Each structure stands twice: as structure tokens, then as C-alpha cells.
Amino acid sequence: MTKIHFRPYTPNQTLLFPQRIDENIAENDPVRIINAVVDSLNLDCFKKLYKETGRCAYHPKMMLKVIIYAYMNNIYSCRRIEKLLLRDIHFIWLAGYEKPDFITINRFRNRVKDEIGNVFTQLVLILAEKGFVSLDVEYIDGTKIESKANKYTFVWRKTVEKNRARLMGKIRALLEQVDEAIAQDKSAESPAVEFTPAQLTEIVDELKHSLAQAPEAKDKEGKKALREKKKQVKDLEARRDKLAEYDKHLETLGERNSYSKTDPDATFMRMKEDAMNNGQTKPGYNLQIGTENQFITDFGLFHNPTDTLTLIPFYESFRSRFGRLPSAGVADSGYGSEENYRFMEENGMEAFVKYNFFHKEQRPRYKPDPFHQDSFHYNEAEDYYVCPMGQHLTRIGIRRSTTASGYVTESARYRAQRCTGCPLRGSCYKSKSDRRTIEVNHRLNAYKRQARERLLSEEGIRHRGRRCIEPEAVFGQMKYDMAY
């Protein structure tokens, strides 16, 4: 009978693993790319984060490699990374068999979080050096990323301001009831002067000192009056604490209208995923990215839910990273505003940025509304418009308005001579006024004409087709791979 043979099995042998652990790691494995790229980075900026004395720290390059590779694989738990440094061959090779614990890993990533932007910039410059990106064109888009915060922990600016004003009135009324001189002096101040928690603390301390120095009441009325004063002081303390809470809310809000208590950096905004179809707001971030050849060349998180006010800060971020601006910017209609067009023009950039009605104008069956002010004939030499009935709308003034970022826009106002009795009156406008008035932003219209010419050119058509597969595809990969 033939004897059965097995391969030797000795789990307790001295040389269980090969001398080179990377023999079992494929040559094209992403872990090798992480290793090579981080080795090429200049991490001198990390040295200032360490002390010269004390125990020798783990090498920052090793720690950075481990964290980047873990994040690449959707691993964010420090405890899980600690386990993988003992179990996973890729992590063991990447760390050189160093075994930092979860506290060290968490401390490192908190320590270097302000320097990660510099690491990202170096990575993009490496891509530019290798020819993967040119940094001459920027395809920009934004998406909303929902926070992991509780959706019912919202703080609204209007509510805080209303409740704070109501509380201030209660504080004044309470101080008027207190008969000590210090409280009377404070409550007699002008209503325009608001109290601060520090001022109320001084009043409370002086009232407590006054009560401590007062003689002991012997009769029933005196004891009742003393209890009433102590209750007033206690109420004043409670309202002081509430005022401090409201002030802290306003400080956290900054220029925002809302934030989440469990994630103060998140702002409540409407998301595309609305299960209840009721426009419910959720805590989140407006993530803006710029891409080229599907490589992210810049990114930014904004509290503003709309994209219009994010373009200029985003380009300023690009300039601070690379010392210059791209020669061309490509974006959708959410970024088409006078302020953004002007910024790009003044900085020598070609704006391939759509405006709100661009797609509608390109439809084969599109017919402009003859009664819309954009369809009126404009006599530039004499500065007047002509309505469909041939009546002149003459200029009567200028209306200025300020955007949320502080940019001032100017719109010229034109008014017809007389619309009473016009047979087209019902189709022309719905206002009860006897004369139609229109407002025209000439500068914005000029920018729109320039944008239309660029977008319809051969280069513009190429950029428009490219934009659909640039940032939007990157967002799709991020949300799918990272389970956002």
C-alpha cells in the first residue's frame, strides 16, 4: 500500500517567516506606491512638532505612511490600525515592524493635521513634475458631504439672537427689582448698553457680599425679605449662565446661520438625498475640489451651501499653494456671477464658466420670451431700451446691492413713458404700476456674452465635455470607495 506524504508542518519553528517579508507583496501593490511617494516628500516641517528632549519618537515618515495607507483602505480607527501593525503583512512591512499603540497613532495624526496641507501640495507638485498634471486648467465642482453628527442637534442664529434679546430684557427687569445700589446703578444704564457675563458676575459677587454683611433678620418680614433677595441673586446667576451659553453659540456660529452641537464645524444645509421629500436640512459640508486628469489638485471645505461664494476663496487657496493661478477655469452655472467673472478677468484667467440660462439657450426648440428684458433692443449710444410696442424705456437711476461677500453690484433702472392702454400690457408685465420698470446689470451681461463666446468655441466645447468626467467622476469614486 502506497504511503501518503504531506509537506512538513512545524508552526513553532525559529525561522517561520522569510528573511525579506516584502517577498510576498506584489510589485504593483499600492503599498509600494505609498512607500515610494512618502519617501520622496520633504517632511522638515514636521520636526518643529517634536521636542529635542525625552524619549525618541517614532519616525514621522513611517507614521505618515501607515496612516495614509490605512485611510486608503477605509480604516480610520486607531485601535484597528494598531492590530493591523501586528497582523497584516503590508502594514508590518510599511512600518518596518515598528509597533506604535493606538494612543501614539491618534496623538500623531492630531499633531500633524495642520501640516497635511503641505504634504498634499508636495504630492500635486510631484504629479506636475512627472507630467500627470499641468496646473494650467482647473475643473471645479462641489458636493455636499453629510456629517456623522446627530441631525437634531441644531443651533440656529435667529433663534439664539431672539432668545438672547428676550433674556437681556429679563435681566434688566430683575436688576430693577434688586434694591442694592450696585444693581440699581447697572440697571439704570442706557438700554443700548448690553450686559456681559463678566459684568453680571461682578454684580452677583457684590450682591452676595452685601447679603453676607447684612445683619441677621429677627422678625418674620425680615427673613422673608432676605429669602427674596437670595432668590433674586440665584435667578441672576442662572440668567448669567444662560447669557454665557448664548454668547458661546454666537461665537461658534461666526458668520454662519447654523451649526450642530455634536459637530460644531458642520452647517445645516439641504442635501440631494431627502428621504422625506420635505426639504429637511442636515448637518454637512460643502466640499469643493479642482481636478485635472482626474487628479485632485486642490480642495476646500466651506460652510456656505451654495457654490457662488466659494470660487474666489478656492482660487486664493490654489494661489497660496502653488504661487500662481491657473490660466483657465472651468465650472458649471452655479459659479456664474459678476463677482466671479470679474475676479477671473482681473487675474488674467479664461473663464469657461456657465451662467444660469446657458443650457436653456442651447436647446434646439428654445425661443426667447419677447417680453423679457433681455429681448428688448438696447440703444447703447443713447442708453435706452425699446419694448415690443416700440416705446422707449429711459434711464432713471442706478440701484446698488451688496452680496454676502461684500461685493457691490450696480444695476441701471429704466422706465417706460406710459403703458396704460397698451394692447400688450397683460403679456408684458404683471405689476399694478402704470409703467414698466426694468433693472439691467450691464457689466454682468457683458461677462455673459464673453462666457457664451468662450463656451461655444472649439476649446470651450472640449472643456465642457471634459468637465463632466473630471470632478464629477472623482466625486463618484470618493463617495463609493469611502462609503460617503
Side-chain angles (χ1 to χ4, degrees):
M1 182 176 179
T2 306
K3 187 177 180 180
I4 300 175
H5 296 276
F6 296 100
R7 289 177 61 89
Y9 173 61
T10 312
N12 294 325
Q13 61 180 300
T14 305
L15 298 176
L16 180 62
F17 293 102
Q19 292 183 348
R20 288 183 55 106
I21 198 172
D22 63 331
E23 290 180 0
N24 296 325
I25 300 177
E27 290 296 327
N28 60 348
D29 195 283
V31 71
R32 294 188 181 274
I33 299 177
I34 295 294
N35 184 63
V37 170
V38 176
D39 280 341
S40 66
L41 297 178
N42 180 4
L43 299 183
D44 289 342
C45 58
F46 282 22
K47 293 181 179 179
K48 64 182 180 182
L49 305 175
Y50 293 88
K51 296 180 180 179
E52 297 178 356
T53 58
R55 183 181 177 184
C56 292
Y58 289 104
H59 201 288
K61 280 192 175 181
M62 181 274 292
M63 298 292 290
L64 186 62
K65 290 176 185 178
V66 169
I67 289 179
I68 290 178
Y69 186 66
Y71 283 14
M72 231 175 82
N73 290 276
N74 286 352
I75 301 169
Y76 306 102
S77 168
C78 294
R79 294 180 184 271
R80 190 176 174 196
I81 296 174
E82 178 188 9
K83 291 181 179 179
L84 290 171
L85 286 169
L86 300 174
R87 300 178 179 179
D88 190 288
I89 189 173
H90 300 84
F91 281 90
I92 294 173
W93 174 75
L94 202 59
Y97 204 50
E98 294 284 2
K99 293 169 279 189
D101 60 13
F102 69 93
I103 297 176
T104 305
I105 296 170
N106 186 58
R107 188 185 296 122
F108 173 80
R109 67 180 180 185
N110 286 329
R111 177 183 294 167
V112 303
K113 62 183 178 181
D114 294 332
E115 303 297 334
I116 293 299
N118 181 31
V119 174
F120 173 80
T121 303
Q122 291 189 57
L123 288 173
V124 177
L125 292 175
I126 290 175
L127 291 173
E129 181 182 349
K130 299 295 184 181
F132 291 103
V133 296
S134 64
L135 300 179
D136 289 331
V137 60
E138 189 86 340
Y139 297 92
I140 298 177
D141 201 5
T143 190
K144 294 174 184 175
I145 303 292
E146 185 176 350
S147 170
K148 296 295 184 182
N150 190 324
K151 65 183 69 174
Y152 300 110
T153 58
F154 41 75
V155 176
W156 300 101
R157 174 183 292 278
K158 288 185 178 180
T159 303
V160 172
E161 291 177 345
K162 182 177 68 174
N163 291 339
R164 188 180 184 278
R166 188 182 301 163
L167 177 64
M168 197 64 66
K170 292 180 179 180
I171 292 174
R172 296 186 190 282
L174 181 60
L175 289 176
E176 290 176 358
Q177 298 174 9
V178 181
D179 57 358
E180 271 66 21
I182 178 64
Q184 290 291 343
D185 291 342
K186 293 291 184 181
S187 62
E189 293 180 1
S190 172
V193 179
E194 293 191 347
F195 293 103
T196 64
Q199 291 174 335
L200 293 178
T201 299
E202 293 178 4
I203 297 174
V204 168
D205 292 342
E206 295 193 35
L207 288 174
K208 286 183 176 180
H209 179 73
S210 176
L211 289 174
Q213 298 296 325
E216 186 178 354
K218 296 181 179 180
D219 57 345
K220 188 175 181 180
E221 292 296 328
K223 292 180 179 179
K224 181 179 178 181
L226 185 61
R227 286 196 304 270
E228 184 65 27
K229 290 178 181 178
K230 289 182 178 180
K231 183 178 181 301
Q232 290 173 346
V233 173
K234 189 175 180 181
D235 291 344
L236 190 59
E237 283 183 308
R239 291 172 184 177
R240 175 203 60 189
D241 296 340
K242 198 65 179 177
L243 180 62
E245 180 184 338
Y246 288 147
D247 289 346
K248 185 178 179 180
H249 285 325
L250 291 174
E251 181 182 356
T252 305
L253 282 166
E255 298 180 354
R256 295 181 290 166
N257 291 323
S258 63
Y259 80 90
S260 171
K261 292 179 183 178
T262 52
D263 185 4
D265 292 330
T267 305
F268 280 80
M269 53 186 72
R270 288 182 173 83
M271 305 288 180
K272 289 182 179 179
E273 297 80 10
D274 185 7
M276 303 298 292
N277 291 323
N278 58 359
Q280 182 183 17
T281 56
K282 299 178 183 178
Y285 301 88
N286 186 357
L287 171 63
Q288 300 285 318
I289 64 170
T291 68
E292 185 180 357
N293 293 330
Q294 294 193 357
F295 289 102
I296 299 178
T297 55
D298 198 7
F299 67 93
L301 287 171
F302 297 89
H303 300 305
N304 188 14
T306 59
D307 294 333
T308 307
L309 299 177
T310 63
L311 186 70
I312 295 177
F314 189 78
Y315 276 136
E316 293 295 353
S317 169
F318 188 97
R319 193 194 326 241
S320 65
R321 285 188 190 278
F322 308 113
R324 64 179 180 87
L325 288 172
S327 57
V330 186
D332 61 14
S333 58
Y335 302 86
S337 68
E338 177 189 343
E339 182 179 6
N340 293 339
Y341 284 131
R342 184 172 183 177
F343 175 85
M344 298 180 74
E345 181 186 50
E346 291 177 350
N347 286 276
M349 298 174 61
E350 286 191 283
F352 296 93
V353 180
K354 302 172 186 175
Y355 49 89
N356 49 1
F357 286 103
F358 175 77
H359 281 293
K360 188 175 180 180
E361 293 175 354
Q362 306 312 309
R363 294 175 183 172
R365 298 182 180 180
Y366 170 72
K367 293 182 179 179
D369 183 3
F371 299 104
H372 193 274
Q373 63 186 41
D374 291 343
S375 301
F376 289 7
H377 171 72
Y378 177 59
N379 188 317
E380 187 175 359
E382 300 184 20
D383 193 17
Y384 66 83
Y385 280 86
V386 181
C387 75
M389 282 297 293
Q391 186 177 177
H392 289 191
L393 285 79
T394 57
R395 187 165 181 164
I396 59 173
I398 295 176
R399 188 178 72 87
R400 293 179 176 85
S401 59
T402 306
T403 64
S405 62
Y407 180 80
V408 179
T409 63
E410 292 186 354
S411 298
R413 303 181 75 241
Y414 298 86
R415 180 173 292 168
Q417 299 299 322
R418 184 171 179 271
C419 295
T420 306
C422 177
L424 302 178
R425 166 71 175 80
S427 302
C428 189
Y429 69 103
K430 306 299 182 183
S431 173
K432 295 181 179 179
S433 174
D434 60 346
R435 291 183 295 174
R436 181 174 181 180
T437 303
I438 62 174
E439 294 183 0
V440 182
N441 188 332
H442 290 293
R443 176 176 289 173
L444 178 59
N445 287 344
Y447 285 139
K448 286 182 178 180
R449 287 193 292 270
Q450 292 178 4
R452 188 186 301 112
E453 292 176 1
R454 287 197 183 103
L455 291 168
L456 295 178
S457 66
E458 184 177 347
E459 184 181 8
I461 294 173
R462 180 173 59 83
H463 281 312
R464 283 161 50 198
R466 185 71 187 169
R467 197 200 70 83
C468 299
I469 59 174
E470 278 284 349
E472 293 182 5
V474 174
F475 277 138
Q477 294 166 5
M478 287 173 52
K479 290 186 176 183
Y480 180 80
D481 294 341
M482 304 296 181
Y484 287 145

